[in-house]
Amino acid sequence: MADRLRTGIDALDRRLEGGLPRGALVAYTAEPASQSERLLYELTAACETRYLSTERSVRAVRSSLEVAPAAVAETRVERLSAERLEDASRIVADLDEERLLIVDTADRLERSDPDDYVAFLNELKGALLEADGVAVLHCLRGAKPRNRTRTLHAADAVFELRTDRAGGRLETTLAIPKFRYDGQPAEAITLELTDGVAIDTSRDIA
Protein backbone atom coordinates (compact mmCIF):
# COMPACT_ATOMS: atom_id res chain seq x y z
CA MET A 1 0.00 0.00 0.00
CA ALA A 2 1.27 3.47 -0.93
CA ASP A 3 0.49 4.92 2.50
CA ARG A 4 2.54 2.26 4.34
CA LEU A 5 6.25 1.81 4.91
CA ARG A 6 7.38 -1.82 4.68
CA THR A 7 9.14 -3.30 7.69
CA GLY A 8 11.13 -5.71 5.53
CA ILE A 9 9.51 -8.71 7.26
CA ASP A 10 6.95 -9.94 4.75
CA ALA A 11 4.67 -11.80 7.16
CA LEU A 12 4.63 -8.82 9.56
CA ASP A 13 3.86 -6.45 6.68
CA ARG A 14 0.91 -8.63 5.72
CA ARG A 15 -0.42 -8.51 9.27
CA LEU A 16 -0.03 -4.72 9.28
CA GLU A 17 -1.89 -4.49 5.97
CA GLY A 18 1.20 -3.41 4.07
CA GLY A 19 3.53 -2.14 6.77
CA LEU A 20 3.74 0.84 9.12
CA PRO A 21 1.45 3.77 8.29
CA ARG A 22 3.36 6.83 7.13
CA GLY A 23 3.49 9.50 9.78
CA ALA A 24 3.54 6.87 12.55
CA LEU A 25 5.57 7.16 15.75
CA VAL A 26 6.54 3.71 17.02
CA ALA A 27 7.84 2.80 20.49
CA TYR A 28 9.79 -0.46 20.32
CA THR A 29 10.44 -1.99 23.74
CA ALA A 30 12.85 -4.85 24.48
CA GLU A 31 15.19 -6.24 27.10
CA PRO A 32 18.81 -5.00 26.93
CA ALA A 33 20.11 -8.58 26.57
CA SER A 34 17.79 -9.44 23.66
CA GLN A 35 18.49 -9.40 19.91
CA SER A 36 16.27 -6.35 19.49
CA GLU A 37 18.74 -4.54 17.24
CA ARG A 38 18.29 -7.25 14.59
CA LEU A 39 14.80 -5.95 13.92
CA LEU A 40 16.10 -2.36 13.69
CA TYR A 41 18.64 -3.44 11.09
CA GLU A 42 15.91 -5.23 9.15
CA LEU A 43 13.93 -2.01 9.05
CA THR A 44 16.89 -0.16 7.52
CA ALA A 45 16.87 -2.63 4.63
CA ALA A 46 13.38 -1.57 3.58
CA CYS A 47 14.07 2.14 2.94
CA GLU A 48 16.52 4.99 3.37
CA THR A 49 17.13 5.54 7.07
CA ARG A 50 18.51 8.13 9.45
CA TYR A 51 19.92 6.25 12.44
CA LEU A 52 20.53 8.29 15.60
CA SER A 53 22.62 6.58 18.28
CA THR A 54 22.56 8.00 21.81
CA GLU A 55 24.97 5.47 23.35
CA ARG A 56 27.03 3.47 20.85
CA SER A 57 29.57 5.16 18.60
CA VAL A 58 28.91 5.76 14.91
CA ARG A 59 31.68 3.30 14.10
CA ALA A 60 30.11 0.58 16.23
CA VAL A 61 26.68 1.02 14.65
CA ARG A 62 28.08 1.05 11.12
CA SER A 63 30.09 -2.08 11.86
CA SER A 64 26.94 -3.87 13.05
CA LEU A 65 25.00 -2.75 9.98
CA GLU A 66 27.75 -3.99 7.68
CA VAL A 67 27.56 -7.53 9.06
CA ALA A 68 23.76 -7.61 9.43
CA PRO A 69 22.11 -10.41 7.41
CA ALA A 70 19.66 -7.92 5.91
CA ALA A 71 20.66 -6.02 2.79
CA VAL A 72 20.89 -2.56 4.37
CA ALA A 73 19.65 0.34 2.25
CA GLU A 74 21.19 3.81 2.42
CA THR A 75 21.59 4.53 6.13
CA ARG A 76 22.91 7.75 7.62
CA VAL A 77 24.30 7.09 11.10
CA GLU A 78 24.79 9.96 13.55
CA ARG A 79 25.79 10.20 17.20
CA LEU A 80 23.19 12.14 19.14
CA SER A 81 24.14 14.09 22.23
CA ALA A 82 21.41 12.83 24.55
CA GLU A 83 22.14 15.53 27.13
CA ARG A 84 20.94 18.17 24.66
CA LEU A 85 17.33 17.57 23.63
CA GLU A 86 17.57 20.58 21.33
CA ASP A 87 20.02 18.59 19.17
CA ALA A 88 17.32 15.96 18.64
CA SER A 89 14.79 18.68 17.86
CA ARG A 90 17.15 20.19 15.27
CA ILE A 91 17.51 16.85 13.50
CA VAL A 92 13.77 16.22 13.61
CA ALA A 93 13.13 19.60 11.97
CA ASP A 94 15.38 18.51 9.09
CA LEU A 95 13.76 15.15 8.35
CA ASP A 96 13.79 14.02 4.74
CA GLU A 97 10.59 12.91 3.06
CA GLU A 98 9.40 9.31 3.12
CA ARG A 99 12.25 8.03 5.24
CA LEU A 100 12.67 6.07 8.43
CA LEU A 101 14.12 7.64 11.57
CA ILE A 102 15.52 5.33 14.27
CA VAL A 103 16.53 6.57 17.73
CA ASP A 104 18.65 3.92 19.48
CA THR A 105 18.08 4.19 22.34
CA ALA A 106 15.43 6.66 23.45
CA ASP A 107 16.15 6.00 27.14
CA ARG A 108 18.52 8.92 27.62
CA LEU A 109 16.21 11.36 25.85
CA GLU A 110 13.46 10.19 28.18
CA ARG A 111 15.42 11.58 31.15
CA SER A 112 14.88 15.15 29.96
CA ASP A 113 12.60 17.71 31.56
CA PRO A 114 9.01 16.40 31.10
CA ASP A 115 7.67 19.56 29.44
CA ASP A 116 10.63 19.72 27.06
CA TYR A 117 10.28 16.03 26.22
CA VAL A 118 6.55 16.33 25.50
CA ALA A 119 7.30 19.28 23.23
CA PHE A 120 9.93 17.18 21.44
CA LEU A 121 7.47 14.30 20.90
CA ASN A 122 4.94 16.72 19.43
CA GLU A 123 7.61 18.23 17.16
CA LEU A 124 8.60 14.73 16.04
CA LYS A 125 5.02 13.72 15.27
CA GLY A 126 4.45 16.92 13.31
CA ALA A 127 7.62 16.38 11.29
CA LEU A 128 6.63 12.78 10.50
CA LEU A 129 3.23 13.86 9.22
CA GLU A 130 4.83 16.57 7.11
CA ALA A 131 7.45 14.23 5.62
CA ASP A 132 5.32 11.06 5.36
CA GLY A 133 8.02 9.31 7.37
CA VAL A 134 8.09 6.83 10.23
CA ALA A 135 10.08 7.02 13.48
CA VAL A 136 11.02 4.10 15.73
CA LEU A 137 12.13 4.86 19.30
CA HIS A 138 14.09 1.91 20.71
CA CYS A 139 13.15 1.75 24.41
CA LEU A 140 14.94 -0.66 26.73
CA ARG A 141 12.97 -2.32 29.49
CA GLY A 142 14.42 -2.57 32.99
CA ALA A 143 15.57 0.99 33.46
CA LYS A 144 12.70 3.36 34.15
CA PRO A 145 13.44 6.81 32.71
CA ARG A 146 11.09 9.51 33.97
CA ASN A 147 9.32 9.99 30.61
CA ARG A 148 8.79 6.38 29.48
CA THR A 149 5.03 6.56 30.04
CA ARG A 150 4.93 9.73 27.94
CA THR A 151 6.69 7.91 25.09
CA LEU A 152 4.22 5.02 25.21
CA HIS A 153 1.26 7.39 25.37
CA ALA A 154 2.45 9.50 22.43
CA ALA A 155 3.32 6.47 20.27
CA ASP A 156 0.89 5.47 17.53
CA ALA A 157 2.12 1.90 17.80
CA VAL A 158 3.93 -0.05 20.52
CA PHE A 159 6.03 -3.08 19.58
CA GLU A 160 7.01 -5.40 22.46
CA LEU A 161 9.83 -7.87 21.86
CA ARG A 162 10.16 -10.64 24.46
CA THR A 163 12.60 -13.52 24.73
CA ASP A 164 11.83 -16.56 26.89
CA ARG A 165 13.34 -20.01 27.40
CA ALA A 166 11.02 -22.78 26.19
CA GLY A 167 12.07 -26.42 26.21
CA GLY A 168 15.78 -25.66 26.21
CA ARG A 169 15.59 -23.10 23.39
CA LEU A 170 15.09 -19.36 23.18
CA GLU A 171 11.71 -18.20 21.91
CA THR A 172 11.30 -14.62 20.74
CA THR A 173 7.88 -13.07 20.26
CA LEU A 174 6.74 -9.70 18.96
CA ALA A 175 3.44 -8.32 20.25
CA ILE A 176 1.74 -5.10 19.18
CA PRO A 177 -0.52 -4.09 22.08
CA LYS A 178 -1.14 -0.60 20.72
CA PHE A 179 -1.91 0.33 17.11
CA ARG A 180 -3.91 3.46 16.30
CA TYR A 181 -4.75 2.26 12.82
CA ASP A 182 -6.82 -0.48 11.23
CA GLY A 183 -5.34 -3.97 11.13
CA GLN A 184 -3.86 -4.43 14.60
CA PRO A 185 -2.46 -8.00 14.92
CA ALA A 186 -4.47 -9.80 17.59
CA GLU A 187 -1.76 -12.34 18.42
CA ALA A 188 1.96 -12.18 19.13
CA ILE A 189 4.26 -13.25 16.31
CA THR A 190 7.03 -15.76 16.97
CA LEU A 191 10.31 -14.66 15.37
CA GLU A 192 13.59 -16.34 14.49
CA LEU A 193 16.50 -13.95 15.12
CA THR A 194 19.39 -16.35 14.57
CA ASP A 195 19.94 -15.25 10.97
CA GLY A 196 18.29 -11.93 10.35
CA VAL A 197 14.60 -11.68 11.23
CA ALA A 198 12.03 -14.19 10.06
CA ILE A 199 8.69 -15.56 11.16
CA ASP A 200 9.01 -18.90 12.95
CA THR A 201 6.52 -20.93 10.90
CA SER A 202 7.05 -24.01 13.04
CA ARG A 203 4.95 -22.33 15.76
CA ASP A 204 2.88 -19.66 14.04
CA ILE A 205 1.11 -19.65 10.73
CA ALA A 206 1.67 -16.24 9.16
Side-chain angles (χ1 to χ4, degrees):
M1 295 175 62
D3 61 343
R4 302 268 168 147
L5 186 148
R6 292 181 60 253
T7 67
I9 306 171
D10 291 341
L12 178 58
D13 287 335
R14 289 196 298 272
R15 295 194 184 192
L16 295 177
E17 298 186 356
L20 293 168
R22 294 192 178 277
L25 174 61
V26 180
Y28 171 43
T29 70
E31 297 291 340
S34 70
Q35 292 275 60
S36 59
E37 290 162 353
R38 286 287 183 91
L39 191 142
L40 294 179
Y41 301 157
E42 198 78 19
L43 292 175
T44 69
C47 69
E48 294 183 6
T49 303
R50 197 163 186 179
Y51 196 117
L52 306 182
S53 174
T54 63
E55 297 188 5
R56 295 194 298 156
S57 68
V58 170
R59 181 178 181 182
V61 174
R62 285 178 176 164
S63 176
S64 295
L65 288 170
E66 288 171 1
V67 298
V72 179
E74 181 181 341
T75 301
R76 179 178 173 183
V77 182
E78 298 177 56
R79 184 73 163 81
L80 181 63
S81 174
E83 288 75 19
R84 292 171 53 85
L85 195 60
E86 57 265 34
D87 288 348
S89 296
R90 173 182 51 79
I91 292 172
V92 163
D94 192 36
L95 282 181
D96 296 318
E97 290 189 359
E98 299 186 356
R99 290 195 181 183
L100 172 69
L101 173 72
I102 292 175
V103 179
D104 179 24
T105 64
D107 299 41
R108 297 181 70 184
L109 295 181
E110 291 173 318
R111 299 187 187 121
S112 304
D113 174 81
D115 289 340
D116 291 343
Y117 186 68
V118 168
F120 164 72
L121 290 174
N122 284 321
E123 289 173 9
L124 175 55
K125 178 61 179 180
L128 293 173
L129 291 172
E130 184 71 22
D132 284 333
V134 171
V136 177
L137 306 182
H138 188 201
C139 305
L140 298 181
R141 287 196 297 272
K144 297 181 179 179
R146 65 195 298 192
N147 291 312
R148 175 57 52 82
T149 57
R150 293 177 174 87
T151 300
L152 298 178
H153 177 68
D156 300 301
V158 175
F159 284 16
E160 290 184 352
L161 190 76
R162 296 191 178 276
T163 303
D164 300 294
R165 294 185 182 274
R169 62 172 301 209
L170 294 177
E171 182 176 281
T172 302
T173 56
L174 179 68
I176 306 177
K178 180 179 181 181
F179 198 68
R180 285 182 172 146
Y181 309 92
D182 293 335
Q184 177 183 16
E187 299 179 357
I189 303 167
T190 303
L191 301 176
E192 286 285 358
L193 299 178
T194 55
D195 186 15
V197 179
I199 301 297
D200 183 354
T201 55
S202 68
R203 295 174 179 265
D204 292 318
I205 298 177

